Amino acid sequence: MSNPTAAAPADPIPECPYCQKPMPLCICDSVTPIKNRLSLLILQHPQEQDRALGTARLLAKHFEGATLRVGLSWPSLSKALAQPIENASHWAVLYLGSAHAADLEAEGEILALNRKGEVADNQRALLGKLEGVVLLDGTWSQAKALWWRNPWMLKCQRVILNPAAPSRYGRLRKEPRKDGLSTIEAAATILSVLEKRPDIAETLNASFERMLTRYREVQVEMPELAPKPPVKDRRRGVRRSKRA
Ligand SMILES: [Zn+2]
């Protein structure tokens, strides 16, 4: 600090204790609380290291009742939540596989699947009874590991997203999910559709946009904090652009 021309390493940049991002990337101060009906359980793979662009903690900060757990496996939904849950089928889990191609013609941004992985017939009944949502946070393979190591998820109601818009990550990051959405965007879609509350999606997506804007600003000033991803990671979610 006394000698700006010195090449000595700078002081370590402090991290936000809440979102764990380096302080220049933190937007926690701007997060507005959301009051909503459905509970949220976010399971984060321990190796999910993308603190700069990760969204799980930012998402959790919006909801007083959200639970974020870092780990690989839990014996049950109740244990993961640290509270008794009578009926796991009243909790949705965002399924990682994709539905049959023909099923993607189905209406709706969220689709409940039956045990065969097909779009279920009684969508309204299955989605209407939901009390909470489980989200898996990590790369594609990390999320898959979480899925296989927690067999209680088979008792949850599997849902898939049928997103209308591509991820806002754009070219910043390899998309963590097959449907191309970040964890916060997935939550935005699920909660706003299930609760018929477009304002939830607006608030969460606005936070995500602020996070990305901050990232791009920091990229210019302190590139070591916000590295550009390699070109080969770029991929766009065009698979579901054929919705009528
Ligand atoms: Zn923060």
Side-chain angles (χ1 to χ4, degrees), residues 4 7 10 19 28 30 53-54 61 91 123 143 147 149 151 156 169 189 201 206 218 220 224:
C19 69
C28 286
S30 68
L53 281 170
K61 194 165 172 62
W91 278 69
Q123 292 291 319
W147 169 262
R149 280 166 173 262
C156 297
Y169 271 136
T189 303
V218 171
V220 176
E224 70 281 7

Side-chain angles (χ1 to χ4, degrees), residues 79-238:
K79 285 282 197 307
L81 282 164
Q83 71 178 74
I85 297 297
E86 279 180 28
N87 197 338
S89 73
H90 291 184
W91 278 69
V93 62
L94 188 52
Y95 183 55
L96 299 161
S98 50
H100 300 276
D103 285 342
L104 292 176
E105 302 297 319
E107 292 283 321
E109 279 191 276
I110 297 175
L111 302 170
L113 301 185
N114 64 23
R115 279 161 191 264
K116 290 182 197 160
E118 301 159 349
V119 172
D121 291 329
N122 45 341
Q123 292 291 319
R124 198 173 293 183
L126 292 175
L127 298 177
K129 70 180 184 189
L130 294 175
E131 295 164 8
V133 177
V134 182
L135 292 167
L136 308 178
D137 184 64
T139 62
W140 172 246
S141 61
Q142 288 166 351
K144 227 163 59 175
L146 285 167
W147 169 262
W148 289 114
R149 280 166 173 262
N150 292 275
W152 52 264
M153 283 186 205
L154 293 171
K155 295 181 195 157
C156 297
Q157 173 61 55
R158 282 189 243 175
V159 300
I160 55 166
L161 295 180
N162 200 12
S167 170
R168 288 171 174 76
Y169 271 136
R171 299 188 304 186
L172 268 178
R173 188 189 187 191
K174 180 170 144 187
E175 289 155 2
R177 311 191 67 95
K178 233 181 192 171
D179 46 47
L181 294 179
S182 66
T183 302
I184 198 169
E185 289 175 294
T189 303
I190 293 183
L191 295 177
S192 63
V193 171
L194 291 179
E195 302 194 27
K196 300 185 175 65
R197 293 258 317 264
D199 63 294
I200 294 180
E202 281 160 23
T203 303
L204 292 178
N205 288 332
S207 278
F208 188 42
E209 292 283 6
R210 279 199 305 281
M211 188 197 97
L212 294 178
T213 301
R214 179 69 59 82
Y215 188 90
R216 291 187 186 103
E217 289 164 1
V218 171
Q219 217 168 33
V220 176
E221 293 154 20
M222 308 168 83
E224 70 281 7
L225 285 186
K228 282 198 165 79
V231 172
K232 68 178 166 60
D233 280 350
R234 293 175 181 177
R235 186 159 61 92
R236 294 303 299 252
V238 293

Side-chain angles (χ1 to χ4, degrees), residues 16 18-20 26-28:
C16 166
Y18 194 82
C19 69
Q20 298 184 352
C26 166
I27 60 152
C28 286

